[in-house]
Amino acid sequence: MKTKYQFTAFLCVMGLLSYGQKGIPPKEDTKKVTITNFPTHLEYSSSLASGLKTANGWQSTPAATGLGKPRMLYIGKKGQLYVTRRDAGDVLMLTDTNNDGRFDDMTRVADFPGVHGITAKDDFMYLCNNNKVLRYALNADGTLGKAADTLIKDLPSGGQHANRTMDFGPDGKLYISVGSVCNDCKESDKETAAMLQVDPQTWKRRLYASGLRNTIGFDWQPQSKEMWGVDNGGDTKGDDWPPEELNKIIMGGNYGFPFAYGKKEVDQSREDPVGNTKEGWVKPTQASIMDFPAHSAPIAFAFFDSGKNKGDALVCWHGSWNRQNPSGYKVERIKFDSKGNPTGSEDFLTGFLIGNERFGRPAGLAIGSDVVYISDDANGIIYALKQK
């Protein structure tokens, strides 16, 4: 039986759930890192939210509050908004019953420890955590069937980067991003620091691209149908290097991790790989297309599929935790031309960072026909952005 809550009475109770990991993380995972300049947290207030700055022609309103730590988002066929909550281990369905632009009803539609990635296809919803991919039947009212099919149960151990994301591509295949187990080490499992491709007929998978340290956000450019993603650079290498990357992800492409970042910049702090030099190993890899400030921490990334913004993309910068001058804490628009090539970028939603204080960390992103939803997992908010 489903459980419903009105937001006026809802106080989120966070359940910190742990989930199993296969194998033993490399030694680098146990290395302690000192947090040097994590901006001070500010609790959400309507006055702070009113100070957010949007791109010209857009306006932002809080569409839901009190959600704990909302992460990835997905818009349903009837305008419902699905929200994964990794720490609480559940999925919420938010509904605006009176069409006033604010969600006033919530249904918990799934309980799944560590759930993060979400997508849907052909009347089924797909969810994933560190190790598993589950499939649920979608009911007519948007709720999920009680029984879930376990499609995959042996994704690689998450280690430091356990936030799996997935989506179906234009070719009908399912793509799953698997981050590196550690901050900066040569992976022992070829399926880590990689993009996997899954055949939905057999649920067998293969390596699609490698050398991607942690590409949580990825999507397909609507004009070119090419896959693009934003990759997180490594930590503990200084305030300004390595950069965060925008990559065009191609089948068989190697994107350099752990021996290079950005425009094939060799990491001279690493030892040479066995039987090769760093420079020799890096030479055949793929260079980034655009670079962004180090430690900005990209999470969600999605394209506008229709309307006058069609072809451009948005990226949520979760924000730095280890940079002397904080970076990120905003949503940025990356402009693409009619051929599907990026041409530049501009701020889309800013104001979460005030000096060395922050009251929000953009995480999830869903773009609808007339609205953009952005989740803030620091203060439990969903923002709705619409064009004026």
Side-chain angles (χ1 to χ4, degrees):
M1 180 177 180
K2 66 183 180 182
T3 303
K4 289 189 175 181
Y5 300 81
Q6 295 297 322
F7 276 101
T8 54
F10 174 66
L11 292 176
C12 176
V13 179
M14 299 302 296
L16 188 59
L17 301 176
S18 61
Y19 42 94
Q21 298 177 0
K22 300 187 299 179
I24 301 173
K27 291 181 179 179
E28 284 83 352
D29 274 344
T30 65
K31 184 169 57 179
K32 294 184 181 297
V33 177
T34 301
I35 297 177
T36 57
N37 198 27
F38 195 11
T40 303
H41 174 71
L42 295 174
E43 293 297 330
Y44 169 83
S45 70
S46 58
S47 61
L48 286 172
S50 66
L52 291 173
K53 297 179 180 179
T54 61
N56 289 336
W58 292 81
Q59 60 184 5
S60 169
T61 57
T65 60
L67 296 179
K69 295 184 178 181
R71 293 286 289 190
M72 300 295 99
L73 307 176
Y74 188 87
I75 300 174
K77 291 182 178 180
K78 297 182 179 180
Q80 317 99 316
L81 185 66
Y82 296 90
V83 184
T84 67
R85 298 194 303 174
R86 175 195 59 196
D87 291 16
D90 61 15
V91 180
L92 308 178
M93 181 180 72
L94 311 183
T95 307
D96 177 6
T97 61
N98 58 7
N99 296 314
D100 68 350
R102 296 178 183 269
F103 295 109
D104 49 41
D105 185 79
M106 183 188 80
T107 304
R108 180 180 286 111
V109 294
D111 293 294
F112 183 13
V115 63
H116 193 258
I118 181 171
T119 191
K121 190 176 189 295
D122 298 335
D123 295 321
F124 288 96
M125 180 158 282
Y126 297 77
L127 303 173
C128 67
N129 69 0
N130 177 28
N131 297 122
K132 297 180 180 179
V133 175
L134 304 184
R135 180 178 63 186
Y136 295 78
L138 268 168
N139 298 324
D141 62 357
T143 60
L144 306 185
K146 293 182 179 180
D149 299 320
T150 301
L151 304 175
I152 297 174
K153 60 181 178 181
D154 62 345
L155 290 175
S157 170
Q160 184 169 325
H161 300 123
N163 294 320
R164 307 280 181 260
T165 50
M166 61 182 176
D167 203 1
F168 286 93
D171 58 1
K173 302 292 177 62
L174 180 67
Y175 292 81
I176 305 173
S177 175
V178 179
S180 62
V181 173
C182 55
N183 172 53
D184 180 27
C185 65
K186 179 65 176 176
E187 304 288 331
S188 59
D189 188 330
K190 69 178 183 179
E191 288 193 328
T192 56
M195 185 70 67
L196 307 181
Q197 183 193 68
V198 183
D199 183 344
Q201 301 300 317
T202 63
W203 297 107
K204 292 182 179 180
R205 63 185 187 261
R206 64 172 175 170
L207 186 67
Y208 185 79
S210 61
L212 295 164
R213 182 177 175 273
N214 194 25
T215 297
I216 302 174
F218 64 94
D219 197 6
W220 289 264
Q221 211 278 341
Q223 283 104 339
S224 68
K225 308 301 182 184
E226 294 172 325
M227 180 191 283
W228 292 81
V230 281
D231 199 32
N232 287 262
D235 296 319
T236 71
K237 297 179 183 296
D239 275 8
D240 300 313
W241 197 83
E244 314 292 38
E245 304 174 6
L246 173 68
N247 293 306
K248 182 165 71 173
I249 304 174
I250 61 175
M251 181 182 290
N254 181 337
Y255 292 82
F257 178 80
F259 293 104
Y261 295 94
K263 303 287 191 294
K264 301 170 72 166
E265 299 174 61
V266 175
D267 184 353
Q268 296 297 342
S269 69
R270 295 197 58 85
E271 296 180 357
D272 287 338
V274 176
N276 202 345
T277 63
K278 294 184 289 293
E279 290 76 11
W281 191 94
V282 168
K283 188 174 181 179
T285 64
Q286 303 295 314
S288 62
I289 305 301
M290 292 180 69
D291 292 342
F292 296 89
H295 313 303
S296 296
I299 298 190
F301 173 87
F303 284 99
F304 288 93
D305 288 330
S306 61
K308 63 181 181 181
N309 303 295
K310 182 178 179 179
D312 289 348
L314 297 178
V315 56
C316 287
W317 301 108
H318 201 224
S320 61
W321 58 268
N322 60 348
R323 197 172 191 268
Q324 190 61 37
N325 295 312
S327 60
Y329 299 99
K330 65 179 182 178
V331 180
E332 193 166 359
R333 177 177 178 175
I334 303 177
K335 296 183 176 181
F336 284 71
D337 62 24
S338 60
K339 295 181 180 180
N341 298 310
T343 60
S345 66
E346 64 183 18
D347 288 342
F348 185 75
L349 179 64
T350 62
F352 292 107
L353 187 64
I354 306 171
N356 200 39
E357 296 179 311
R358 50 91 174 165
F359 80 98
R361 304 191 77 188
L365 171 66
I367 302 177
S369 59
D370 62 351
V371 64
V372 173
Y373 292 114
I374 295 165
S375 69
D376 161 20
D377 68 351
N379 271 316
I381 314 297
I382 302 291
Y383 291 95
L385 282 83
K386 292 189 175 184
Q387 292 186 290
K388 299 177 182 178

